[in-house]
Amino acid sequence: MNLSQYPVLARTESPTVIRPAHFAQPLPLAPRPAGERPAEPLPDPSDWTFELIERYHAVIAATAERFGLDTYPNQLEVISAEQMMDAYSSIGMPVGYRHWSYGKEYLATERRYRRGHMGLAYEIVINSNPCISYLMEENTTAMQALVIAHAAYGHNSFFKNNYLFGMWTDAGSIIDYLVYARDFIAQCEERHGYDTVEQWLDSCHALSNLGVDRYQRPSKKSLARELAERERREAYAQQQVNELWRTLPVRPDKDSTVPQNQRFPKEPEENLLYFIEKNAPLLEPWQREIIRIVRKIAQYFYPQRQTQVMNEGWATFWHYTLLSTMYDEGWLTDGVMIEWLSSHTNVIYQPPAGHRAYSGINPYALGFAMYRDIRRICESPTEEDRRWFPDVAGAPWLRTLHHAMQNFKDESFIGQFLSPKLIRDMRLFAIHDDAEERELLVSAIHNEEGYRQLRQMLSQQYDLGAREPNIQVWNVNLRGDRCLTLRHTQYQGRPLSDDTEEVLRHAARLWGFGVQLESVSGDGEMPVLLHSVPAPPS
Amino acid sequence: MALQIIDRRLAGKNKSVGNRERFVRRYKAQITEAVRRAVAKRDIRHIEQAETITIPRKDIREPQLRHGQGGIRDSVHPGNTDHVRGDRIPRPDGGAGGSGSQASDSGEGEDDFTFTLSKEEFMELFFEDLALPRLLRTHIANTMQYKSRRAGYAHDGTPHNLAVLRTMRGALGRRIALTKASHRELAVLERELEALLERASDCKEVDECVNETGAAAAELQLAIEQLKARIAKVAFLDPLDLRFRNRIRVPAPSSQAVMFCVMDVSGSMDEQRKDLAKRFFILLYLFLTRHYEKIDIVFIRHHTEAAEVGEEEFFHSRESGGTVVSSALALLDQIMHARYPADEWNIYVAQASDGDNYGSDGTNCRNLLVDKILPLVRYFAYVQVAEEEQNLWQEYSELLPMFPHFAMRKVGQPSEIYPVFRDLFKKEGVVV
């Protein structure tokens, strides 16, 4: 599923959330009533001014508060298109280390932008406290209002309250850590040469998907602690590695720590980069440190990849709701309304399968539709809704929505809340594609018997565990050639892509010795050796 | 709710420039190749533009471990029109995509990666390793031009450069300084006199009083007159006050150049040979525009007669005839003297011919070059766009030992143009 091809209204990056103490605050039951109607709507010249932005923001903020949107303080930064492209291509972060792949991203972004493929309303939210949203100077007043509602209130409240962000990321230290990473890598470049460092980073990037602890929460450390620990880490790591690779014979009266036939690692390790960082015998300290940096950053972005539908849907739902409310209450002119609506419509457009523009499900469209649907189920449930969502049907919509936003990720959100009505509205259907068969099979459509199946399949489609191949460190030949064996557990008989051998060569570069990959079927039977890559030339 | 709006527009852009540089560095071979291809297609005045570069997607992909084609896939799609459960759909060609409408798993099509190289980057890559040969640089240094520049004020100079304001300011200051004490004294005396006269008007009809004050007043009067005279003696303007605008001569690298493109269009110069010549001229033009702010091009074409023409006509006119090369050189000499004095212009000549010249004209050519042209130009590159050596080649060959800034090469194929050009303009120590 490629999500990146959609018109991007917001790229949401760097979730930096410290779980606030007031997290347990009661969820809002219902929106608070509107204030007085304004004598006349806000002015709507197409050119914005700082004063206008403040006035629009004030009304948006007041409206958002009535709906119980709990956000970090906002910082709006006006930037030019070039700056936006800069920000965009450095994974949205204000700082980052240098690498050619970001240059590639920049060039691609620039080209799309110049050709007009990229919407004008495009903006970035940096999740920090205060939460920084970028407003592009080219935007009209109406678009700035849309961006403020979308990013500064939609995304901002998502960052602050969704459990994954609170659990996995740390606002206090990420920017510092990125600055540290940039400086460290620049130093390495100076000391060891561009090419050496570039190659090393290439290899780390190739494995960055496998540099994530999926089930273990990272500990939160301040930068100072991080730095202080680095030196100790370097010394200790080398010691450990030396111990592991000791070639002197073990004295017979002492218990051998590693019996001849025991596997290493004892348990399969899913975090390949972590494993290499800790156990590769020949690495220089700087090489270990770069692996660690890439691993940390990959880990940091991991929660984002699991909440795209929810996050974009939430922000889209709120810009829609806030601006519509403001219009109803007399704050917005028809002109502003029509302008942001047209943009909104583009963003949530879902081309049907088979359409020229179709490339999978648009996360904005799906997320927006789901939150709208949850509200509908709360406010005017049908008999069907009562059967499917006994807890939700008829409940206060605002509280239900906040609850849904806070406690799920895409996979569970869809598994929990995708309703038969929405399945019908979107006319969802499932395709069963078995490479063994000559034809594709339509395995479910939007009818009574298909609902559960579709919901379950769509949910799984957002399960990163199913989307990405399952590869773990299986064994190391401790006594022989130190070859590292990875084990791929097949998912529904799917093979690995053609890139695999190349990735293994990168892995061999990091490991310093040969690497081989074996594949087992889903039930763990019959390992098959797929690739074997020799040790890199030293 | 707290809000802060910050205007960041002026706070540095191009943060990505380092990443961009790394990208270009990594794909230099491909990019340089594309640059060279692009140059071949352009006309001379539009050459120096940004260029769209395309690199095959497969070369630029970053490998990741992901699922490949095959196995079992269940996927959900929107917009069902007429399918019911159990329908079988033919597998669309090319695996994923089509009416089965599976989004590609990898998220990357096999389109080539295309981006735009800025004008600067373009030229940088194109002229990597090239420089004006060393001999030229010394030559340029020897005939350094000077620019006159203001440099404060001086005590002497020509009346023309008199800085009136500065001068008067100085004079005023001097006058104030020299007369301050006298003015102070004068003020005291005047006040005394006034007081005295007042008292005199008080002591009515008392002779003694009147006489006394009268005498004192006269004395004061005198002192005042003397003081005034002394003040008046301070000159309004003294030679000391004069200030002149000072100008000094600073060496200025000359920043203008003219390039003469001389092309043989006699009957034997067919389209292919003209094309070779054109490409060589383009390279030279591009190269010189890197070094000079302003560059003029003079196109001279000749068969038995020479004429100055525009670019279009230079390359595309079909007129032709016999060959008298010296006619072009004579015209070049004329134009040079009339419009491009050698002390103001850096003059370059690129001559292209197939080397076939009329009878004894080769000697004329050589004489023209030796006597008139070569002493004045920075560099003269002769390119023979044919293989066989004819009389012009022989005549020119004799010039080589005498004039280090004269160069000649043969070019038979378009592919030889660039190497020859690089050879002519290579940086010291660079292996071509």
Side-chain angles (χ1 to χ4, degrees):
Chain A
M1 181 82 24
N2 176 22
L3 304 175
S4 66
Q5 293 172 12
Y6 283 95
V8 179
L9 183 64
R11 182 180 269 207
T12 51
E13 300 294 0
S14 66
T16 45
V17 180
I18 300 170
R19 181 96 321 203
H22 62 267
F23 182 57
Q25 78 179 12
L27 297 171
L29 270 176
R32 287 195 277 107
E36 258 175 65
R37 270 184 92 81
E40 55 184 38
L42 293 164
D44 65 343
S46 68
D47 288 339
W48 58 269
T49 61
F50 285 101
E51 189 250 333
L52 262 184
I53 287 185
E54 274 177 41
R55 286 177 64 185
Y56 273 88
H57 173 266
V59 183
I60 294 170
T63 316
E65 218 189 331
R66 278 165 44 206
F67 284 102
L69 288 183
D70 169 35
T71 62
Y72 293 117
N74 277 300
Q75 179 166 319
L76 305 177
E77 299 196 359
V78 178
I79 61 174
S80 64
E82 276 94 353
Q83 288 171 318
M84 182 62 91
M85 287 191 287
D86 279 339
Y88 213 88
S89 48
S90 54
I91 50 176
M93 303 302 295
V95 284
Y97 56 82
R98 300 267 186 238
H99 189 255
W100 68 272
S101 60
Y102 304 135
K104 173 180 114 175
E105 187 68 30
Y106 179 85
L107 292 166
T109 307
E110 186 184 32
R111 185 168 171 78
R112 279 200 301 272
Y113 180 69
R114 297 243 184 274
R115 284 151 102 205
H117 281 195
M118 212 168 250
L120 264 182
Y122 94 105
E123 41 79 70
I124 292 181
V125 204
I126 293 185
N127 183 7
S128 49
N129 187 1
C131 174
I132 300 168
S133 309
Y134 291 139
L135 302 180
M136 206 161 52
E137 66 174 339
E138 279 86 344
N139 285 348
T140 60
T141 309
M143 292 311 294
Q144 304 292 30
L146 175 63
V147 170
I148 292 170
H150 182 92
Y153 289 90
H155 285 305
N156 187 347
S157 58
F158 193 87
F159 293 146
K160 191 172 175 188
N161 293 290
N162 179 271
Y163 84 104
L164 274 181
F165 287 87
M167 219 166 82
W168 290 76
T169 62
D170 176 14
S173 64
I174 184 63
I175 302 288
D176 281 354
Y177 189 75
L178 289 171
V179 170
Y180 156 74
R182 184 192 60 193
D183 294 349
F184 182 82
I185 286 176
Q187 276 172 23
C188 288
E189 281 178 337
E190 236 164 68
R191 218 174 291 156
H192 309 286
Y194 283 120
D195 293 330
T196 319
V197 176
E198 180 175 287
Q199 279 181 5
W200 197 253
L201 277 171
D202 282 353
S203 297
C204 294
H205 286 184
L207 295 172
S208 62
N209 274 354
L210 301 179
V212 173
D213 293 320
R214 296 196 182 158
Y215 309 106
Q216 235 175 355
R217 287 169 54 169
S219 63
K220 291 174 181 173
K221 290 176 199 159
S222 71
L223 179 70
R225 223 179 113 196
E226 190 77 56
L227 285 176
E229 283 179 9
R230 190 178 112 208
E231 280 182 35
R232 264 186 292 144
R233 194 161 64 228
E234 279 173 5
Y236 182 72
Q238 202 58 43
Q239 225 177 31
Q240 289 302 100
V241 167
N242 291 345
E243 180 67 20
L244 186 61
W245 300 105
R246 190 164 52 175
T247 48
L248 290 175
V250 184
R251 262 191 278 153
D253 54 318
K254 256 193 171 175
D255 279 347
S256 165
T257 42
V258 186
Q260 290 288 345
N261 53 359
Q262 194 178 331
R263 267 195 319 117
F264 177 80
K266 286 194 197 112
E267 298 292 328
E269 167 68 54
E270 59 169 355
N271 191 334
L272 182 53
L273 284 183
Y274 180 83
F275 182 82
I276 291 177
E277 182 200 329
K278 297 300 177 200
N279 298 300
L282 299 178
L283 300 189
E284 305 271 347
W286 68 269
Q287 292 175 314
R288 282 188 219 283
E289 191 62 25
I290 288 185
I291 295 179
R292 185 179 166 84
I293 285 171
V294 172
R295 179 168 81 72
K296 284 265 178 188
I297 293 175
Q299 182 83 60
Y300 190 80
F301 285 111
Y302 187 59
Q304 301 212 22
R305 290 158 59 204
Q306 305 179 74
T307 52
Q308 201 191 1
V309 170
M310 283 184 75
N311 196 350
E312 295 305 352
W314 180 257
T316 307
F317 176 85
W318 281 110
H319 79 231
Y320 177 83
T321 305
L322 294 178
L323 293 179
S324 303
T325 307
M326 283 165 62
Y327 178 73
D328 293 343
E329 290 169 4
W331 287 103
L332 301 183
T333 61
D334 291 351
V336 168
M337 186 73 182
I338 287 171
E339 197 179 339
W340 76 255
L341 265 180
S342 116
S343 210
H344 170 81
T345 315
N346 288 337
V347 164
I348 59 158
Y349 175 60
Q350 172 67 68
H355 189 279
R356 214 162 35 85
Y358 179 69
S359 56
I361 290 177
N362 176 352
Y364 291 85
L366 179 61
F368 177 68
M370 282 188 67
Y371 286 112
R372 294 267 294 164
D373 195 49
I374 294 172
R375 179 173 178 174
R376 179 193 62 78
I377 295 170
C378 292
E379 289 185 325
S380 47
T382 62
E383 192 43 48
E384 180 185 52
D385 295 326
R386 287 186 200 287
R387 254 188 298 123
W388 279 68
F389 306 101
D391 294 346
V392 178
W397 72 269
L398 196 56
R399 192 177 66 186
T400 312
L401 224 58
H402 276 277
H403 170 78
M405 173 270 281
Q406 290 176 358
N407 300 298
F408 295 86
K409 56 184 172 184
D410 285 349
E411 178 198 355
S412 53
F413 180 64
I414 292 167
Q416 190 77 20
F417 292 107
L418 187 68
S419 76
K421 168 147 191 326
L422 190 55
I423 292 175
R424 285 193 299 273
D425 287 351
M426 291 184 74
R427 308 186 69 81
L428 295 180
F429 66 112
I431 295 281
H432 180 76
D433 174 1
D434 184 342
E436 307 280 296
E437 303 280 326
R438 267 187 47 247
E439 291 173 316
L440 305 175
L441 176 71
V442 177
S443 56
I445 66 161
H446 44 90
N447 58 14
E448 199 59 48
E449 49 193 335
Y451 295 144
R452 281 190 198 280
Q453 206 183 339
L454 279 169
R455 183 159 84 168
Q456 187 258 332
M457 271 192 280
L458 188 60
S459 156
Q460 202 161 51
Q461 211 157 300
Y462 288 94
D463 176 8
L464 287 188
R467 269 158 68 175
E468 291 169 1
N470 175 2
I471 292 174
Q472 305 198 328
V473 178
W474 186 252
N475 194 13
V476 174
N477 184 346
L478 278 183
R479 301 282 157 203
D481 60 3
R482 298 178 177 181
C483 179
L484 176 71
T485 302
L486 304 177
R487 174 168 279 200
H488 167 226
T489 308
Q490 275 194 13
Y491 176 73
Q492 296 205 331
R494 289 195 208 171
L496 293 171
S497 71
D498 301 338
D499 283 351
T500 306
E501 178 136 350
E502 205 182 335
V503 176
L504 289 188
R505 272 196 294 275
H506 282 297
R509 183 189 280 155
L510 297 182
W511 179 240
F513 297 94
V515 172
Q516 58 184 23
L517 178 80
E518 58 187 35
S519 190
V520 296
S521 61
D523 45 17
E525 291 300 307
M526 299 225 302
V528 181
L529 186 66
L530 287 184
H531 298 279
S532 180
V533 177
S538 48
Chain B
M1 195 153 299
L3 171 74
Q4 219 179 346
I5 305 182
I6 297 176
D7 191 349
R8 285 254 188 253
R9 282 171 293 180
L10 295 178
K13 53 181 180 181
N14 278 341
K15 273 210 239 164
S16 310
V17 81
N19 292 328
R20 195 184 161 111
E21 271 168 20
R22 278 166 177 71
F23 178 84
V24 171
R25 209 169 58 85
R26 185 183 174 97
Y27 292 98
K28 201 158 182 183
Q30 286 104 314
I31 295 172
T32 311
E33 182 52 38
V35 163
R36 286 178 193 173
R37 272 201 312 273
V39 166
K41 285 185 282 181
R42 292 181 173 184
D43 70 5
I44 196 162
R45 285 180 199 275
H46 298 113
I47 194 104
E48 211 189 1
Q49 287 169 345
E51 172 64 20
T52 301
I53 302 288
T54 300
I55 296 177
R57 169 76 70 179
K58 66 171 170 42
D59 290 355
I60 217 162
R61 231 184 23 199
E62 293 164 83
Q64 289 273 340
L65 282 171
R66 43 171 89 92
H67 286 131
Q69 302 284 331
I72 296 170
R73 254 160 235 272
D74 288 295
S75 52
V76 177
H77 304 277
N80 180 22
T81 45
D82 44 12
H83 296 308
V84 294
R85 183 177 166 170
D87 272 3
R88 291 193 176 269
I89 311 173
R91 192 184 296 280
D93 294 336
S99 72
S101 306
Q102 275 165 320
S104 125
D105 228 22
S106 61
E108 285 184 26
E110 288 296 313
D111 288 350
D112 288 343
F113 182 80
T114 300
F115 66 98
T116 307
L117 213 54
S118 75
K119 181 171 147 180
E120 263 313 301
E121 287 168 324
F122 181 83
M123 300 306 289
E124 201 59 54
L125 283 165
F126 192 72
F127 286 110
E128 229 189 3
D129 303 339
L130 297 187
L132 291 171
R134 200 165 64 123
L135 85 113
L136 288 180
R137 264 182 266 135
T138 52
H139 198 61
I140 289 170
N142 287 342
T143 59
M144 190 60 86
Q145 293 188 350
Y146 289 90
K147 263 187 193 160
S148 159
R149 216 188 61 194
R150 292 183 63 163
Y153 296 90
H155 285 287
D156 50 14
T158 60
H160 175 73
N161 281 333
L162 180 69
V164 177
L165 208 66
R166 258 311 156 107
T167 302
M168 293 316 289
R169 199 191 291 169
L172 187 63
R174 180 181 47 80
R175 272 180 279 137
I176 290 171
L178 288 182
T179 60
K180 191 69 186 175
S182 307
H183 272 295
R184 212 179 287 135
E185 209 177 319
L186 185 64
V188 173
L189 291 180
E190 273 172 341
R191 264 203 306 281
E192 268 176 41
L193 181 61
E194 215 171 303
L196 203 60
L197 291 178
E198 221 169 285
R199 246 186 293 145
S201 60
D202 286 346
C203 59
K204 294 158 196 157
E205 316 244 333
V206 182
D207 287 356
E208 210 173 318
C209 167
V210 173
N211 287 341
E212 214 173 280
T213 50
E219 214 171 285
L220 278 173
Q221 212 66 308
L222 186 66
I224 288 173
E225 289 308 317
Q226 279 171 346
L227 264 177
K228 282 192 171 162
R230 197 187 316 160
I231 288 172
K233 269 191 189 147
V234 174
F236 182 76
L237 198 60
D238 188 282
L240 270 176
D241 302 330
L242 294 183
R243 293 290 182 277
F244 296 87
R245 285 187 297 270
N246 191 23
R247 303 189 76 87
I248 54 171
R249 272 155 57 84
V250 290
S254 58
S255 58
Q256 55 185 2
V258 57
M259 182 175 103
F260 288 91
C261 302
V262 180
M263 185 161 67
D264 184 350
V265 289
S266 61
S268 53
M269 285 287 286
D270 53 20
E271 275 307 313
Q272 192 211 343
R273 289 177 173 183
K274 279 190 201 167
D275 184 56
L276 288 177
K278 174 187 171 184
R279 292 180 189 215
F280 186 80
F281 292 135
I282 286 177
L283 287 178
L284 185 58
Y285 170 76
L286 272 175
F287 183 56
L288 292 175
T289 48
R290 303 282 296 166
H291 288 84
Y292 297 103
E293 280 171 27
K294 175 172 188 264
I295 181 153
D296 278 12
I297 316 178
V298 177
F299 295 102
I300 296 174
R301 66 201 295 277
H302 71 89
H303 36 91
T304 49
E305 285 171 14
E308 186 185 352
V309 296
E311 181 185 343
E312 185 61 22
E313 198 184 338
F314 183 73
F315 289 116
H316 302 294
S317 169
R318 307 213 146 267
E319 180 196 359
S320 73
T323 317
V324 180
V325 177
S326 63
S327 64
L329 297 179
L331 179 63
L332 189 159
D333 182 47
Q334 269 176 32
I335 295 175
M336 203 160 71
H337 276 101
R339 295 179 356 221
Y340 300 102
D343 52 353
E344 287 172 25
W345 291 81
N346 298 287
I347 301 167
Y348 293 87
V349 184
Q351 185 187 4
S353 162
D354 56 2
D356 180 19
N357 200 5
Y358 170 77
S360 62
D361 189 50
T363 321
N364 294 340
C365 293
R366 198 186 69 195
N367 291 340
L368 269 169
L369 284 182
V370 172
D371 298 337
K372 303 203 156 167
I373 299 176
L374 284 179
L376 296 181
V377 305
R378 294 273 184 269
Y379 199 64
F380 191 116
Y382 172 66
V383 175
Q384 179 174 305
V385 288
E387 272 307 318
E388 67 272 35
E389 292 174 9
Q390 307 206 33
N391 51 5
L392 195 60
W393 183 266
Q394 282 145 21
E395 293 287 348
Y396 275 10
S397 299
E398 292 173 25
L399 298 175
L400 281 174
M402 294 189 286
F403 295 97
H405 62 293
F406 175 78
M408 50 197 288
R409 290 288 187 284
K410 274 186 281 192
V411 172
Q413 298 293 324
S415 59
E416 289 168 30
I417 299 262
Y418 191 63
V420 163
F421 182 84
R422 286 174 70 84
D423 186 28
L424 289 174
F425 288 94
K426 72 183 168 219
K427 252 186 204 160
E428 299 292 315
V430 170
V431 182
V432 179

